[in-house]
Every structure is written in C-alpha cells, then in structure tokens.
Coordinates of all heavy atoms in Angstrom, one line a residue:
M793 N 0.8 -1.2 0.0 CA 0.0 0.0 0.0 C 0.9 1.2 0.0 O 1.9 1.3 0.7 CB -0.9 0.0 1.2 CG -1.9 1.1 1.3 SD -3.0 0.9 2.7 CE -4.3 1.9 2.1
E794 N 0.5 2.2 -0.8 CA 1.3 3.4 -0.9 C 1.1 4.3 0.3 O -0.1 4.6 0.7 CB 0.8 4.1 -2.2 CG 1.5 5.4 -2.5 CD 1.0 6.0 -3.8 OE1 0.8 5.3 -4.8 OE2 0.8 7.3 -3.8
D795 N 2.2 4.8 0.9 CA 2.1 5.8 2.0 C 1.7 7.2 1.4 O 2.3 7.6 0.4 CB 3.4 5.9 2.7 CG 3.6 4.7 3.6 OD1 2.6 4.0 4.0 OD2 4.8 4.4 4.0
K796 N 0.8 7.8 2.0 CA 0.5 9.2 1.6 C 1.3 10.2 2.4 O 1.4 10.1 3.6 CB -1.0 9.5 1.9 CG -2.0 8.8 1.0 CD -3.4 9.1 1.4 CE -4.0 9.9 0.3 NZ -5.4 10.3 0.6
I797 N 1.9 11.1 1.7 CA 2.7 12.1 2.4 C 1.7 13.1 3.1 O 1.9 13.6 4.2 CB 3.6 12.9 1.4 CG1 4.7 11.9 0.9 CG2 4.2 14.1 2.1 CD1 5.5 12.5 -0.2
L798 N 0.6 13.4 2.4 CA -0.3 14.4 2.9 C -1.5 13.7 3.5 O -2.2 12.9 2.8 CB -0.8 15.2 1.7 CG -1.8 16.3 1.9 CD1 -1.1 17.4 2.8 CD2 -2.2 17.0 0.6
K799 N -1.7 13.8 4.8 CA -2.8 13.2 5.5 C -4.1 14.0 5.4 O -5.2 13.5 5.2 CB -2.5 12.9 6.9 CG -1.3 12.1 7.2 CD -1.6 10.6 7.1 CE -0.3 9.9 7.4 NZ -0.2 8.6 6.8
S800 N -3.9 15.3 5.5 CA -5.0 16.3 5.4 C -4.5 17.7 5.3 O -3.4 18.0 5.6 CB -6.0 16.1 6.6 OG -5.3 16.6 7.8
I801 N -5.4 18.6 4.9 CA -5.1 20.0 4.7 C -6.2 20.8 5.4 O -7.3 20.5 5.2 CB -5.0 20.4 3.2 CG1 -4.1 19.5 2.4 CG2 -4.7 21.8 3.0 CD1 -4.2 19.7 0.9
E802 N -5.8 21.8 6.1 CA -6.7 22.7 6.6 C -6.5 24.1 6.2 O -5.3 24.5 6.1 CB -6.7 22.7 8.2 CG -7.7 23.7 8.8 CD -7.6 23.7 10.3 OE1 -6.7 24.3 10.8 OE2 -8.5 23.0 10.9
T803 N -7.5 24.8 5.8 CA -7.4 26.2 5.5 C -8.5 27.0 6.2 O -9.6 26.5 6.4 CB -7.4 26.5 4.0 OG1 -7.0 27.8 3.7 CG2 -8.7 26.2 3.4
I804 N -8.1 28.2 6.6 CA -9.1 29.1 7.2 C -9.1 30.4 6.4 O -8.0 31.0 6.2 CB -8.7 29.4 8.7 CG1 -8.7 28.1 9.5 CG2 -9.7 30.4 9.3 CD1 -8.1 28.2 10.9
F805 N -10.2 30.8 6.0 CA -10.2 32.1 5.3 C -11.4 33.0 5.9 O -12.4 32.5 6.3 CB -10.2 32.1 3.8 CG -11.4 31.5 3.2 CD1 -12.4 32.3 2.7 CD2 -11.5 30.1 3.0 CE1 -13.5 31.8 2.0 CE2 -12.6 29.6 2.4 CZ -13.6 30.4 1.9
E806 N -11.1 34.3 5.9 CA -12.0 35.2 6.5 C -12.4 36.2 5.4 O -11.6 36.7 4.7 CB -11.3 36.0 7.6 CG -12.2 37.0 8.3 CD -11.5 37.7 9.5 OE1 -10.4 37.2 9.9 OE2 -12.0 38.7 10.0
V807 N -13.7 36.5 5.4 CA -14.3 37.5 4.4 C -14.9 38.6 5.3 O -15.7 38.4 6.1 CB -15.4 36.8 3.6 CG1 -16.0 37.9 2.6 CG2 -14.9 35.6 2.8
Q808 N -14.3 39.8 5.0 CA -14.8 40.9 5.8 C -15.8 41.7 4.9 O -15.5 42.0 3.8 CB -13.7 41.9 6.2 CG -12.7 41.2 7.2 CD -11.6 42.1 7.6 OE1 -11.5 43.2 7.1 NE2 -10.9 41.7 8.6
L809 N -17.0 42.0 5.5 CA -18.0 42.7 4.8 C -18.2 44.1 5.4 O -17.6 44.4 6.3 CB -19.3 41.9 4.9 CG -19.2 40.5 4.2 CD1 -19.9 39.4 4.9 CD2 -19.6 40.6 2.8
D810 N -19.1 44.9 4.7 CA -19.3 46.3 5.1 C -20.0 46.4 6.5 O -19.7 47.3 7.3 CB -20.0 47.0 4.1 CG -19.2 47.2 2.8 OD1 -18.0 47.2 2.9 OD2 -19.8 47.3 1.7
T811 N -20.9 45.5 6.7 CA -21.7 45.6 7.9 C -21.9 44.2 8.5 O -21.8 43.2 7.8 CB -23.1 46.2 7.7 OG1 -23.9 45.3 6.9 CG2 -23.0 47.6 7.0
S812 N -22.3 44.2 9.8 CA -22.6 42.9 10.5 C -23.9 42.3 9.9 O -24.1 41.1 9.9 CB -22.6 43.0 12.0 OG -23.5 44.0 12.4
K813 N -24.8 43.2 9.5 CA -26.1 42.7 8.9 C -25.8 42.0 7.6 O -26.3 40.9 7.4 CB -27.0 43.9 8.7 CG -28.2 43.6 7.9 CD -29.3 43.3 8.9 CE -30.6 43.2 8.1 NZ -31.6 42.4 8.8
Q814 N -24.9 42.5 6.8 CA -24.5 41.8 5.6 C -23.9 40.4 5.9 O -24.2 39.4 5.3 CB -23.5 42.6 4.7 CG -24.1 43.7 3.9 CD -23.0 44.4 3.1 OE1 -21.9 44.5 3.5 NE2 -23.4 45.0 2.0
A815 N -23.0 40.5 6.9 CA -22.3 39.2 7.3 C -23.3 38.2 7.8 O -23.2 37.0 7.4 CB -21.3 39.5 8.4
Q816 N -24.3 38.6 8.5 CA -25.3 37.7 9.0 C -26.2 37.1 7.9 O -26.4 35.9 7.9 CB -26.3 38.4 10.0 CG -27.3 37.5 10.6 CD -26.8 36.5 11.5 OE1 -25.9 36.8 12.3 NE2 -27.2 35.3 11.4
I817 N -26.5 37.9 6.9 CA -27.3 37.4 5.8 C -26.5 36.4 5.0 O -27.0 35.3 4.6 CB -27.8 38.6 4.9 CG1 -28.8 39.5 5.6 CG2 -28.3 38.1 3.5 CD1 -29.1 40.8 5.0
I818 N -25.3 36.7 4.7 CA -24.4 35.8 3.9 C -24.1 34.5 4.7 O -24.2 33.4 4.2 CB -23.2 36.5 3.4 CG1 -23.6 37.6 2.4 CG2 -22.2 35.5 2.8 CD1 -22.5 38.5 2.0
Y819 N -23.9 34.7 6.0 CA -23.7 33.5 6.9 C -24.9 32.6 6.8 O -24.7 31.4 6.6 CB -23.5 34.0 8.3 CG -23.5 32.9 9.4 CD1 -22.3 32.2 9.6 CD2 -24.6 32.6 10.1 CE1 -22.3 31.2 10.6 CE2 -24.7 31.6 11.0 CZ -23.5 30.9 11.3 OH -23.5 29.9 12.2
N820 N -26.1 33.2 6.9 CA -27.3 32.4 6.9 C -27.5 31.7 5.5 O -28.0 30.6 5.4 CB -28.5 33.2 7.2 CG -28.6 33.5 8.7 OD1 -28.1 32.8 9.5 ND2 -29.2 34.7 9.0
S821 N -27.0 32.4 4.5 CA -27.2 31.8 3.1 C -26.2 30.6 2.9 O -26.4 29.7 2.1 CB -27.0 32.8 2.0 OG -25.7 33.2 1.9
L822 N -25.1 30.6 3.7 CA -24.1 29.5 3.5 C -24.3 28.3 4.4 O -23.8 27.2 4.1 CB -22.7 30.1 3.8 CG -22.1 31.1 2.9 CD1 -20.8 31.7 3.4 CD2 -21.9 30.5 1.5
I823 N -25.2 28.5 5.4 CA -25.4 27.4 6.3 C -25.9 26.1 5.6 O -25.4 25.0 5.8 CB -26.4 27.8 7.4 CG1 -25.8 28.8 8.4 CG2 -27.0 26.6 8.2 CD1 -24.6 28.3 9.1
P824 N -26.9 26.2 4.6 CA -27.3 25.0 3.9 C -26.1 24.3 3.1 O -26.1 23.1 3.0 CB -28.4 25.5 2.9 CG -28.9 26.8 3.5 CD -27.7 27.4 4.2
E825 N -25.2 25.1 2.6 CA -24.1 24.6 1.9 C -23.2 23.8 2.9 O -22.6 22.7 2.5 CB -23.3 25.7 1.2 CG -24.1 26.5 0.2 CD -24.8 25.7 -0.8 OE1 -24.4 24.5 -1.2 OE2 -25.9 26.1 -1.3
I826 N -23.0 24.3 4.1 CA -22.1 23.7 5.1 C -22.8 22.3 5.4 O -22.1 21.3 5.5 CB -22.0 24.6 6.3 CG1 -21.2 25.8 6.0 CG2 -21.3 23.8 7.5 CD1 -19.7 25.7 5.8
E827 N -24.1 22.4 5.7 CA -24.8 21.1 6.0 C -24.7 20.1 4.9 O -24.5 18.9 5.2 CB -26.3 21.5 6.4 CG -26.4 22.2 7.7 CD -27.8 22.8 8.0 OE1 -28.7 22.6 7.1 OE2 -27.9 23.3 9.1
Y828 N -24.8 20.5 3.7 CA -24.7 19.6 2.6 C -23.3 19.1 2.5 O -23.1 17.9 2.2 CB -25.1 20.3 1.3 CG -24.9 19.4 0.0 CD1 -25.9 18.5 -0.3 CD2 -23.8 19.6 -0.8 CE1 -25.7 17.6 -1.4 CE2 -23.6 18.8 -1.9 CZ -24.6 17.8 -2.2 OH -24.4 17.0 -3.3
N829 N -22.3 19.9 2.7 CA -20.9 19.5 2.6 C -20.5 18.4 3.6 O -19.6 17.7 3.4 CB -20.0 20.7 2.7 CG -18.6 20.4 2.2 OD1 -18.4 19.6 1.4 ND2 -17.6 21.2 2.8
H830 N -21.3 18.3 4.7 CA -21.0 17.3 5.7 C -21.2 15.9 5.2 O -20.6 14.9 5.7 CB -21.8 17.5 7.0 CG -21.3 18.6 7.9 ND1 -20.1 18.4 8.6 CD2 -21.8 19.8 8.2 CE1 -19.9 19.5 9.3 NE2 -20.9 20.3 9.1
K831 N -21.9 15.8 4.1 CA -22.1 14.5 3.4 C -20.9 14.1 2.6 O -20.8 13.0 2.1 CB -23.4 14.5 2.6 CG -24.6 14.8 3.4 CD -25.8 14.9 2.6 CE -27.0 15.3 3.4 NZ -28.2 15.7 2.6
N832 N -20.0 15.0 2.4 CA -18.8 14.8 1.5 C -17.7 14.1 2.4 O -17.4 14.6 3.4 CB -18.3 16.1 1.0 CG -17.1 16.0 0.1 OD1 -16.5 15.0 0.0 ND2 -16.8 17.1 -0.6
D833 N -17.2 13.0 1.9 CA -16.2 12.3 2.7 C -14.8 12.7 2.4 O -13.9 12.3 3.1 CB -16.3 10.8 2.5 CG -16.0 10.4 1.0 OD1 -16.0 11.2 0.2 OD2 -15.7 9.2 0.8
R834 N -14.6 13.7 1.5 CA -13.3 14.2 1.2 C -13.0 15.5 1.9 O -11.8 15.9 2.0 CB -13.1 14.3 -0.3 CG -13.0 13.0 -1.0 CD -13.0 13.1 -2.5 NE -11.8 13.8 -2.9 CZ -11.7 14.3 -4.2 NH1 -12.7 14.1 -5.0 NH2 -10.7 15.0 -4.5
S835 N -14.0 16.3 2.3 CA -13.7 17.5 3.0 C -14.9 17.9 4.0 O -16.0 17.4 3.7 CB -13.5 18.7 2.0 OG -14.7 19.0 1.4
T836 N -14.6 18.6 5.0 CA -15.6 19.1 5.9 C -15.3 20.6 6.1 O -14.2 21.1 6.0 CB -15.5 18.4 7.3 OG1 -14.2 18.6 7.8 CG2 -15.8 16.9 7.1
S837 N -16.4 21.3 6.4 CA -16.3 22.8 6.6 C -17.0 23.2 7.8 O -18.0 22.6 8.2 CB -16.8 23.5 5.4 OG -16.2 23.1 4.2
T838 N -16.6 24.3 8.4 CA -17.3 24.9 9.5 C -17.3 26.4 9.1 O -16.4 26.9 8.4 CB -16.7 24.7 10.9 OG1 -15.3 25.2 10.9 CG2 -16.7 23.3 11.3
I839 N -18.3 27.1 9.7 CA -18.4 28.5 9.4 C -18.9 29.2 10.7 O -19.6 28.7 11.5 CB -19.5 28.8 8.3 CG1 -19.5 30.3 7.9 CG2 -20.8 28.3 8.6 CD1 -20.4 30.5 6.7
K840 N -18.4 30.4 10.9 CA -18.8 31.3 12.0 C -18.8 32.7 11.6 O -18.0 33.1 10.6 CB -18.0 31.0 13.2 CG -16.5 31.4 13.1 CD -15.8 31.1 14.4 CE -14.3 31.4 14.3 NZ -13.6 31.2 15.5
Q841 N -19.6 33.5 12.2 CA -19.7 34.9 12.0 C -19.1 35.6 13.2 O -19.4 35.3 14.3 CB -21.1 35.4 11.7 CG -21.2 36.9 11.5 CD -22.5 37.5 11.6 OE1 -23.5 36.8 11.7 NE2 -22.6 38.8 11.5
E842 N -18.3 36.6 13.0 CA -17.7 37.4 14.0 C -17.9 38.9 13.5 O -17.1 39.3 12.7 CB -16.3 37.1 14.3 CG -16.1 35.8 15.0 CD -14.6 35.5 15.3 OE1 -13.7 36.3 15.0 OE2 -14.4 34.4 15.9
D843 N -18.9 39.6 14.1 CA -19.2 40.9 13.7 C -19.4 41.1 12.2 O -20.3 40.5 11.6 CB -18.2 41.9 14.2 CG -18.6 43.4 14.2 OD1 -19.8 43.6 14.2 OD2 -17.8 44.3 14.1
K844 N -18.5 41.8 11.5 CA -18.6 42.0 10.0 C -17.9 40.9 9.2 O -17.8 41.0 8.0 CB -18.0 43.3 9.7 CG -18.7 44.5 10.3 CD -18.0 45.8 9.7 CE -18.1 46.9 10.7 NZ -17.4 48.1 10.2
S845 N -17.4 39.9 9.9 CA -16.6 38.8 9.2 C -17.3 37.5 9.2 O -18.0 37.1 10.1 CB -15.2 38.7 9.8 OG -14.5 39.9 9.7
I846 N -17.0 36.7 8.1 CA -17.4 35.3 8.1 C -16.1 34.5 8.0 O -15.2 34.9 7.2 CB -18.3 35.0 6.8 CG1 -19.6 35.8 6.9 CG2 -18.5 33.5 6.7 CD1 -20.4 35.8 5.7
I847 N -16.0 33.6 8.9 CA -14.7 32.8 8.9 C -15.1 31.3 8.6 O -16.0 30.7 9.2 CB -14.1 32.8 10.3 CG1 -13.7 34.3 10.6 CG2 -12.8 32.0 10.3 CD1 -13.4 34.6 12.0
I848 N -14.5 30.8 7.5 CA -14.7 29.5 7.0 C -13.5 28.6 7.2 O -12.4 29.0 6.8 CB -15.1 29.5 5.6 CG1 -16.4 30.3 5.4 CG2 -15.3 28.1 5.0 CD1 -16.8 30.6 4.0
T849 N -13.6 27.5 7.8 CA -12.5 26.5 8.0 C -12.9 25.3 7.2 O -13.9 24.7 7.3 CB -12.4 26.1 9.5 OG1 -12.2 27.3 10.3 CG2 -11.2 25.2 9.7
I850 N -11.9 24.9 6.4 CA -12.1 23.7 5.5 C -11.0 22.7 5.8 O -9.8 23.1 5.8 CB -12.1 24.1 4.0 CG1 -13.1 25.1 3.7 CG2 -12.2 22.8 3.1 CD1 -13.0 25.8 2.3
N851 N -11.4 21.5 6.1 CA -10.4 20.4 6.2 C -10.7 19.4 5.1 O -11.8 18.9 4.9 CB -10.7 19.7 7.6 CG -10.2 20.5 8.7 OD1 -9.1 20.8 8.9 ND2 -11.2 21.0 9.5
S852 N -9.6 19.1 4.4 CA -9.7 18.2 3.2 C -8.7 17.1 3.3 O -7.6 17.3 3.8 CB -9.5 19.0 1.9 OG -10.5 20.0 1.8
K853 N -9.0 16.0 2.6 CA -8.1 14.9 2.5 C -7.1 15.1 1.4 O -6.1 14.4 1.3 CB -8.9 13.6 2.3 CG -9.7 13.2 3.5 CD -10.4 11.9 3.3 CE -11.1 11.5 4.6 NZ -11.9 10.2 4.4
D854 N -7.4 16.0 0.4 CA -6.5 16.2 -0.7 C -6.7 17.6 -1.3 O -7.6 18.3 -0.9 CB -6.8 15.2 -1.8 CG -8.3 15.2 -2.3 OD1 -8.6 16.1 -3.0 OD2 -9.0 14.3 -1.9
V855 N -5.7 18.0 -2.0 CA -5.7 19.4 -2.6 C -6.8 19.6 -3.5 O -7.4 20.7 -3.6 CB -4.3 19.6 -3.3 CG1 -4.3 21.0 -4.0 CG2 -3.2 19.5 -2.3
V856 N -7.2 18.6 -4.3 CA -8.3 18.8 -5.3 C -9.6 19.2 -4.6 O -10.3 20.1 -5.0 CB -8.5 17.6 -6.2 CG1 -9.7 17.7 -7.1 CG2 -7.2 17.3 -7.0
S857 N -9.9 18.4 -3.5 CA -11.2 18.7 -2.8 C -11.1 20.0 -2.0 O -12.1 20.8 -1.9 CB -11.6 17.6 -1.9 OG -10.6 17.4 -0.9
L858 N -9.9 20.4 -1.6 CA -9.7 21.7 -0.9 C -10.0 22.8 -1.9 O -10.8 23.7 -1.6 CB -8.3 21.8 -0.3 CG -8.0 23.2 0.3 CD1 -8.8 23.3 1.6 CD2 -6.5 23.3 0.6
R859 N -9.4 22.7 -3.0 CA -9.6 23.8 -4.0 C -11.0 23.9 -4.5 O -11.5 25.0 -4.6 CB -8.7 23.5 -5.2 CG -8.7 24.7 -6.2 CD -7.8 24.4 -7.5 NE -8.6 23.4 -8.2 CZ -8.0 22.5 -9.0 NH1 -6.7 22.5 -9.2 NH2 -8.8 21.6 -9.7
A860 N -11.7 22.8 -4.7 CA -13.1 22.8 -5.1 C -13.9 23.4 -4.0 O -14.8 24.2 -4.3 CB -13.5 21.3 -5.3
S861 N -13.7 23.1 -2.7 CA -14.4 23.7 -1.6 C -14.2 25.2 -1.6 O -15.2 26.0 -1.4 CB -14.1 23.1 -0.3 OG -14.4 21.7 -0.3
I862 N -13.0 25.7 -1.6 CA -12.7 27.1 -1.6 C -13.4 27.8 -2.7 O -14.0 28.8 -2.5 CB -11.1 27.3 -1.7 CG1 -10.5 26.9 -0.4 CG2 -10.8 28.8 -1.9 CD1 -9.0 26.8 -0.4
N863 N -13.2 27.3 -4.0 CA -13.9 27.9 -5.1 C -15.4 28.0 -4.9 O -16.0 29.0 -5.3 CB -13.5 27.2 -6.4 CG -12.1 27.4 -6.8 OD1 -11.5 28.4 -6.5 ND2 -11.6 26.5 -7.6
S864 N -16.0 26.9 -4.4 CA -17.5 26.9 -4.2 C -17.9 28.0 -3.2 O -18.8 28.8 -3.5 CB -17.9 25.6 -3.7 OG -17.7 24.6 -4.7
Y865 N -17.2 28.1 -2.1 CA -17.5 29.1 -1.1 C -17.3 30.5 -1.6 O -18.1 31.4 -1.4 CB -16.7 28.9 0.2 CG -17.3 27.8 1.0 CD1 -16.5 26.6 1.2 CD2 -18.6 27.8 1.5 CE1 -17.0 25.5 1.9 CE2 -19.1 26.7 2.2 CZ -18.3 25.6 2.4 OH -18.8 24.5 3.1
I866 N -16.3 30.7 -2.4 CA -16.0 32.1 -3.0 C -17.2 32.4 -3.9 O -17.7 33.5 -3.9 CB -14.6 32.1 -3.7 CG1 -13.5 32.1 -2.6 CG2 -14.5 33.4 -4.6 CD1 -12.1 31.9 -3.1
R867 N -17.6 31.5 -4.8 CA -18.7 31.7 -5.7 C -20.0 32.0 -5.0 O -20.7 33.0 -5.3 CB -18.9 30.5 -6.7 CG -17.9 30.5 -7.8 CD -18.3 29.5 -8.9 NE -18.7 28.2 -8.4 CZ -17.8 27.2 -8.2 NH1 -16.6 27.4 -8.5 NH2 -18.3 26.0 -7.8
W868 N -20.3 31.3 -3.9 CA -21.5 31.5 -3.2 C -21.5 32.8 -2.5 O -22.5 33.5 -2.4 CB -21.7 30.4 -2.1 CG -22.0 29.0 -2.8 CD1 -22.8 28.8 -3.9 CD2 -21.6 27.8 -2.3 NE1 -22.8 27.4 -4.1 CE2 -22.1 26.8 -3.2 CE3 -20.8 27.4 -1.2 CZ2 -21.8 25.4 -3.0 CZ3 -20.5 26.0 -1.1 CH2 -21.1 25.1 -2.0
I869 N -20.4 33.2 -1.9 CA -20.2 34.5 -1.2 C -20.4 35.6 -2.2 O -21.1 36.6 -2.0 CB -18.9 34.6 -0.4 CG1 -19.0 33.6 0.8 CG2 -18.7 36.0 0.0 CD1 -17.6 33.4 1.4
K870 N -19.7 35.5 -3.4 CA -19.8 36.5 -4.4 C -21.2 36.7 -4.9 O -21.7 37.8 -5.1 CB -18.8 36.2 -5.6 CG -18.8 37.2 -6.7 CD -17.9 36.8 -7.8 CE -17.9 37.9 -8.8 NZ -17.9 37.4 -10.2
L871 N -21.9 35.6 -5.1 CA -23.3 35.6 -5.6 C -24.2 36.3 -4.5 O -25.0 37.1 -4.9 CB -23.8 34.2 -5.9 CG -25.2 34.1 -6.4 CD1 -25.5 34.9 -7.6 CD2 -25.6 32.7 -6.5
S872 N -24.0 35.9 -3.3 CA -24.8 36.5 -2.2 C -24.5 38.1 -2.1 O -25.5 38.8 -2.0 CB -24.4 35.9 -0.9 OG -24.7 34.5 -0.9
I873 N -23.3 38.5 -2.3 CA -23.0 39.9 -2.3 C -23.7 40.6 -3.4 O -24.3 41.7 -3.3 CB -21.5 40.2 -2.2 CG1 -20.9 39.7 -0.9 CG2 -21.2 41.6 -2.5 CD1 -19.4 39.7 -0.8
E874 N -23.6 40.0 -4.6 CA -24.3 40.6 -5.8 C -25.8 40.7 -5.6 O -26.4 41.7 -6.0 CB -23.9 39.8 -7.1 CG -22.5 39.9 -7.5 CD -22.2 38.9 -8.6 OE1 -23.0 38.1 -9.1 OE2 -21.0 39.0 -9.1
I875 N -26.4 39.7 -5.0 CA -27.8 39.8 -4.8 C -28.1 40.9 -3.8 O -29.1 41.6 -3.9 CB -28.3 38.4 -4.3 CG1 -28.3 37.4 -5.5 CG2 -29.8 38.5 -3.7 CD1 -28.5 36.0 -5.1
L876 N -27.3 41.0 -2.7 CA -27.6 42.1 -1.7 C -27.5 43.4 -2.4 O -28.1 44.4 -1.9 CB -26.6 42.0 -0.6 CG -26.8 40.9 0.4 CD1 -25.6 40.8 1.4 CD2 -28.1 41.1 1.2
N877 N -26.7 43.6 -3.4 CA -26.5 44.9 -4.0 C -27.5 45.2 -5.1 O -27.5 46.3 -5.7 CB -25.1 45.0 -4.6 CG -24.0 45.0 -3.6 OD1 -24.2 45.6 -2.5 ND2 -22.8 44.5 -3.9
I878 N -28.4 44.3 -5.3 CA -29.5 44.6 -6.4 C -30.4 45.6 -5.8 O -30.8 45.7 -4.7 CB -30.2 43.3 -6.7 CG1 -29.3 42.4 -7.5 CG2 -31.5 43.6 -7.6 CD1 -29.9 41.1 -8.0

C-alpha cells in the first residue's frame, strides 16, 4: 500500500463585509451549503460569523477537494453579495 505524504489539509479564510447585517445574511445563506458538505467524505467545513466577518474553516483529504471547496464558497459569497447589491 502506498504511503500518503499528505494526510489532510486545513485552510481558514475570512471574508470581511461592510456591515454585520450583511455578514449575518451571507452567513445564513451559507449554512445549507455547510450542512450539505458534511455528506462529503473528502472535506468538511465549518463557518462562523464574528461581527462583520465570516470565517470558514475547511479540512480536506486532498488538494483537489480543498480547491473545489474554496472555489465553491467564494462563488456562493460573491453571488450573495451581488444579490444584496441589487
């Protein structure tokens, strides 16, 4: 059996918004995605809101799933901000 050099990867990123109200709205819009992601066996995510910031922690078994998770959260956050600005 091949030994894996990489057992897991964790990344934490923070998105700062203009107001805590915006952060709360976007936080609430991401909760269903976090709950859905728990069904994924390659990565898990947690999210928390601190005032005007949303902090997302992603733990992945490989770089591909980490990148996919990061890209998904960035797209969802960007879309949520665009909707708020309509």
Side-chain angles (χ1 to χ4, degrees):
M793 182 175 204
E794 181 180 317
D795 285 337
K796 289 177 112 179
I797 294 173
L798 183 65
K799 301 278 187 213
S800 67
I801 305 170
E802 178 182 80
T803 190
I804 301 170
F805 66 97
E806 179 176 350
V807 178
Q808 295 184 351
L809 296 142
D810 294 334
T811 67
S812 58
K813 175 89 171 158
Q814 281 181 333
Q816 181 67 43
I817 291 168
I818 292 172
Y819 170 84
N820 288 334
S821 73
L822 292 175
I823 292 296
E825 303 304 334
I826 295 286
E827 290 171 356
Y828 177 78
N829 196 28
H830 280 293
K831 297 174 186 170
N832 183 345
D833 65 343
R834 290 175 59 197
S835 70
T836 59
S837 303
T838 60
I839 185 172
K840 65 181 176 177
Q841 180 194 354
E842 291 181 358
D843 193 28
K844 297 183 208 178
S845 296
I846 296 171
I847 301 164
I848 299 171
T849 303
I850 303 169
N851 289 292
S852 297
K853 292 182 178 179
D854 56 75
V855 175
V856 173
S857 63
L858 176 70
R859 188 183 70 207
S861 294
I862 291 170
N863 287 338
S864 293
Y865 286 112
I866 289 171
R867 279 193 311 272
W868 293 322
I869 291 168
K870 183 178 181 221
L871 178 60
S872 296
I873 291 170
E874 289 173 359
I875 290 170
L876 284 174
N877 290 331
I878 291 179

